Amino acid sequence: MSDETPFDQLPAEERLFRQRHSAAHVLAEAILEMFPEAKYAIGPPVENGFYYDFDLPRPLTPDDLGALEARMRVSVERNLPIRGEQIPKAQAREIFKDQPYKLELIDGIQDETVGYFRHGEFQDLCRGGHTETTGQLGAFTLDRVAGAYWRGDEKNAMLQRVYGLLFPTDEELEAFKVTREEAERRDHRRLGRELDLFHLDSIAPGSPFYHPKGAILYHALIDYMRELYREYGYDEVITPQLFSADLWKISGHYQNFRDDMFMFEADESEMGIKPMNCPGHCWFFKSGHYSYRDLPLRLAEFTRLHRFERSGVLHGMTRVRSFSQDDAHIYCTPEQFEREVHLFFEMSRRVYADLGLGEPRVKLATRPEKFVGEIPAWDASEKLLGEALTSAGYEYEIAPGEGAFYGPKVEFHVRDAIGRSWQLSTIQIDQAMPTSFGLQYVGADGEDHTPMMLHRAILGSLERFIGVYVEHTAGHFPLWLAPVQAVVVPIADRHVDYAHRVRSMLREKGLRVEVDESNERMGAKIRRAQLQRVPYMLVVGDREEEAEAAAVRDGTGADLGAMPVFQIIDRMVDERDSRAIYAGKPEA
Ligand SMILES: [Zn+2]
Ligand SMILES: [Zn+2]
């Protein structure tokens, strides 16, 4: 409880923590003024602000938040000192005798004394870490009210949780609100439905339904990766979904990961649905006979994986139970190792460029406290990854102790259009599985050797990637990924036949085209295509039909003028095949 350093000399992060913490007290003070009979529970600082849980005589309304905030500002204005001390439990029980939640908290504390803090008339049970006075809170606002069970247990009373936002300055608070609004507008769960791509349903928690357009996007990404795989010498395999528990015991998943897997009995033996491909790939390797001439062996797989994520953590496409990865495992000799890492970095760089994702932030995660293998081997692997990153032109930071228990890894973090960071690619050296599976290849010396093994993925989980990418692009995919690449809009019924002819001509070149035959007005049709993020709208009437042309608008609605159909095809095929990034403004 060291509060000695003057507040304004504390590190910025600590100051903000204390401001958020103190604001929670000031909020509870305001609540007790408004509802003297209120019971207050706990109120910690959290990301972006703070909250406090209350048991109140009635539900709070948005108007109440305004009134509470005004009362908080009075407390700020009074600039009351926040003072604390340790007091005996018995004394605390007396002070909080009408506060059942506080009494329960006191009972849960092991020490003989408890932290007791007060400012003005307000008193609270607390571990400390405050501003010196209520006048140092920074820029805050009350945000919303939500239900929360006492201690997160649904058997307990439902409390009202009041959330507040708090940042050091008004500008930062405002910037946060703007970004959040933009994030809500781009929320992939919402856009997934609006753009008819996918949805999630409680009938299958954490397992997306891909609509036809979403399935096109999903397969376009896989086709793209397959093209790179051919170029980089990967072999695609399809391994089983269900394995005997024996496999998971060898890989260590049974011992370490079992609660996160779907396991069940079949034919009186225990089976598990695969949560990742590596053990299956190791088994595949083990079932073959490989010599150094067959290596590197790069095994890729897109089949579905399942993990038992608890329902409380599921979130749209970014946290799911059923997913697929652009996953591959590379088995190679020590001599080939560096080149494999290098090739992976090269491939990642191309993918990021093609998807318009910009330069990633790269982290090298090193040996954790719990690890398998020998320290010199770890050091060598870490050094090798670092050198390969440098030679690929990546600057990187070290994340000490954040490697997997079986080997160091490199993570690529990508910043999206509204500044949020997402981890996508990873490459990990595995110093455990080749040994636990007893993998061997025959070396040039005729002896058996253990291969090196790499786990790598560029997009990571396709579901998560699609969720992130929908938000990054706000649904404006580059042409090569757009589920519908053009809509032909006939001006009148008599142009419908011609519209279909235009569609056929484009389809012959593999372009994905629809005709809007609805009876709506032209403006409405164009607006709809724009809202659906269709990159091209081809309007056809008498003049266009006569010239075998179309009046072209791009996804922003900008009029590109009339163009002969062959020219439209050239333009679109060019844009598709060069994987040009969507150039329009992201607003629809
Ligand atoms: Zn406190
Ligand atoms: Zn793996």
Side-chain angles (χ1 to χ4, degrees):
M1 207 183 292
S2 160
D3 286 331
E4 294 90 0
T5 314
F7 174 72
D8 52 10
Q9 287 170 31
L10 290 166
E13 210 174 302
E14 175 67 20
R15 278 207 306 272
L16 187 56
F17 176 90
R18 291 185 179 209
Q19 286 176 317
R20 288 173 175 169
H21 181 164
S22 303
H25 285 287
V26 174
L27 165 61
E29 176 194 14
I31 281 277
L32 288 172
E33 283 173 17
M34 196 185 250
F35 303 98
E37 69 276 53
K39 310 295 178 213
Y40 54 130
I42 52 162
V46 290
E47 197 188 0
N48 307 321
F50 56 92
Y51 72 75
Y52 216 118
D53 288 347
F54 304 106
D55 194 343
L56 301 175
R58 63 166 175 84
L60 291 170
T61 65
D63 283 349
D64 291 330
L65 290 190
L68 285 166
E69 204 176 298
R71 285 174 188 271
M72 288 176 72
R73 300 211 186 280
V74 171
S75 188
V76 170
E77 204 56 43
R78 289 171 71 195
N79 199 23
L80 300 162
I82 303 176
R83 296 211 175 88
E85 60 189 306
Q86 287 292 118
I87 59 169
K89 272 186 176 173
Q91 191 186 341
R93 283 201 186 92
E94 179 55 30
I95 293 170
F96 294 106
K97 62 178 187 295
D98 299 326
Q99 290 293 337
Y101 301 102
K102 298 293 176 193
L103 290 175
E104 210 180 310
L105 291 170
I106 294 168
D107 289 340
I109 294 170
Q110 299 295 326
D111 301 338
E112 284 314 299
T113 61
V114 296
Y116 167 74
F117 279 78
R118 59 183 303 152
H119 67 265
E121 295 305 302
F122 178 77
Q123 46 193 357
D124 207 344
L125 196 66
C126 176
R127 265 194 291 266
H130 303 102
T131 54
E132 287 150 359
T133 70
T134 57
Q136 295 166 318
L137 293 195
F140 66 88
T141 184
L142 293 183
D143 192 35
R144 65 198 168 91
V145 183
Y149 292 107
W150 166 236
R151 304 205 134 155
D153 186 339
E154 57 192 86
K155 290 187 209 82
N156 289 337
M158 169 74 92
L159 305 174
Q160 295 189 65
R161 177 170 294 176
V162 181
Y163 282 97
L165 302 173
L166 189 149
F167 288 86
T169 63
D170 289 330
E171 291 71 31
E172 283 158 287
L173 176 61
E174 209 36 54
F176 171 80
K177 287 202 268 186
V178 169
T179 308
R180 185 173 68 173
E181 226 167 84
E182 182 58 34
E184 277 162 16
R185 238 169 45 78
R186 290 167 178 248
D187 190 314
H188 70 273
R189 293 167 299 179
R190 176 175 152 186
L191 282 177
R193 275 192 186 274
E194 284 176 10
L195 303 182
D196 202 11
L197 297 169
F198 51 77
H199 77 276
L200 286 116
D201 190 313
S202 58
I203 199 70
S207 306
F209 280 81
Y210 280 98
H211 302 198
K213 288 178 188 173
I216 289 172
L217 175 62
Y218 180 89
H219 288 296
L221 287 166
I222 290 181
D223 290 346
Y224 167 64
M225 292 313 299
R226 281 189 174 130
E227 220 174 281
L228 288 172
Y229 283 172
R230 277 191 287 276
E231 195 181 323
Y232 282 82
Y234 284 67
D235 293 309
E236 192 176 332
V237 292
I238 300 172
T239 61
Q241 290 287 328
L242 296 178
F243 284 97
S244 153
D246 294 343
L247 182 90
W248 308 116
K249 285 174 185 165
I250 299 173
S251 68
H253 286 85
Y254 195 83
Q255 300 84 329
N256 298 309
F257 201 70
R258 200 178 154 200
D259 290 345
D260 302 312
M261 286 177 63
F262 292 101
M263 305 282 305
F264 58 93
E265 298 273 327
D267 275 350
E268 287 173 23
S269 73
E270 199 176 7
M271 307 286 291
I273 303 179
K274 66 176 169 186
M276 47 186 77
N277 291 310
C278 359
H281 289 183
C282 284
W283 198 263
F284 176 89
F285 187 97
K286 193 181 167 66
S287 328
H289 294 279
Y290 295 99
S291 91
Y292 70 98
R293 287 197 198 86
D294 305 313
L295 304 184
L297 183 69
R298 307 180 186 96
L299 296 180
E301 179 154 2
F302 293 106
T303 55
R304 310 244 4 129
L305 304 170
H306 291 83
R307 292 185 191 169
F308 184 17
E309 298 279 6
R310 301 305 187 263
S311 51
V313 302
L314 295 174
H315 180 85
M317 298 284 269
T318 52
R319 197 81 184 262
V320 288
R321 287 180 180 168
S322 169
F323 60 103
S324 162
Q325 293 180 323
D326 63 324
D327 191 17
H329 297 95
I330 299 170
Y331 302 89
C332 65
T333 69
E335 295 74 38
Q336 294 165 336
F337 191 62
E338 194 171 344
R339 183 173 139 77
E340 290 306 310
V341 173
H342 188 84
L343 286 174
F344 172 76
F345 291 152
E346 191 187 292
M347 198 167 151
S348 302
R349 168 156 280 159
R350 281 179 55 182
V351 173
Y352 289 141
D354 286 341
L355 290 165
L357 287 169
E359 267 299 286
R361 213 175 93 230
V362 183
K363 281 191 194 173
L364 170 53
T366 59
R367 192 180 68 243
E369 270 179 40
K370 274 193 189 165
F371 64 95
V372 295
E374 304 298 324
I375 290 182
W378 273 87
D379 291 346
S381 300
E382 287 167 8
K383 185 158 168 276
L384 191 149
L385 287 176
E387 285 169 0
L389 279 169
T390 307
S391 84
Y394 284 119
E395 286 186 23
Y396 64 94
E397 49 193 278
I398 305 268
E402 286 181 24
F405 71 91
Y406 50 79
K409 70 176 173 189
V410 171
E411 301 169 354
F412 287 62
H413 297 258
V414 170
R415 206 162 272 288
D416 73 10
I418 55 173
R420 296 167 304 179
S421 181
W422 301 89
Q423 183 191 313
L424 296 180
S425 309
T426 55
I427 184 163
Q428 307 185 29
I429 297 176
D430 195 320
Q431 319 201 113
M433 257 189 242
T435 314
S436 43
F437 277 88
L439 304 187
Q440 308 253 271
Y441 69 95
V442 180
D445 56 4
E447 304 284 316
D448 283 345
H449 297 271
T450 305
M452 308 277 291
M453 178 177 175
L454 290 168
H455 307 247
R456 40 65 71 222
I458 295 179
L459 304 177
S461 138
L462 283 165
E463 279 61 31
R464 187 160 169 282
F465 177 80
I466 287 170
V468 169
Y469 202 59
V470 163
E471 297 191 6
H472 173 64
T473 59
H476 290 283
F477 305 128
L479 191 77
W480 65 280
L481 287 174
V484 178
Q485 294 164 321
V487 172
V488 189
V489 182
I491 292 176
D493 282 349
R494 65 179 182 280
H495 307 120
V496 167
D497 282 348
Y498 175 61
H500 280 278
R501 278 213 317 278
V502 171
R503 179 177 71 170
S504 301
M505 286 186 269
L506 270 70
R507 278 189 169 176
E508 251 168 57
K509 302 294 172 189
L511 292 162
R512 299 185 284 263
V513 187
E514 288 179 355
V515 174
D516 187 342
E517 287 182 61
S518 66
N519 291 323
E520 282 166 83
R521 302 162 65 97
M522 268 273 296
K525 290 184 186 185
I526 287 173
R527 181 73 191 142
R528 180 164 59 214
Q530 258 177 282
L531 284 174
Q532 284 296 304
R533 289 14 175 207
V534 177
Y536 286 100
M537 286 148 256
L538 312 177
V539 181
V540 294
D542 291 332
R543 257 181 305 161
E544 287 78 15
E545 181 163 358
E546 212 156 290
E548 198 162 282
V552 183
R553 283 166 189 268
D554 72 11
T556 67
D559 194 344
L560 305 183
M563 278 183 221
V565 172
F566 76 87
Q567 202 179 320
I568 295 168
I569 291 173
D570 279 354
R571 180 189 169 114
M572 289 183 65
V573 166
D574 237 31
E575 186 175 334
R576 178 191 66 191
D577 295 350
S578 67
R579 298 208 175 87
I581 296 306
Y582 176 81
K585 59 181 189 338
E587 264 53 55

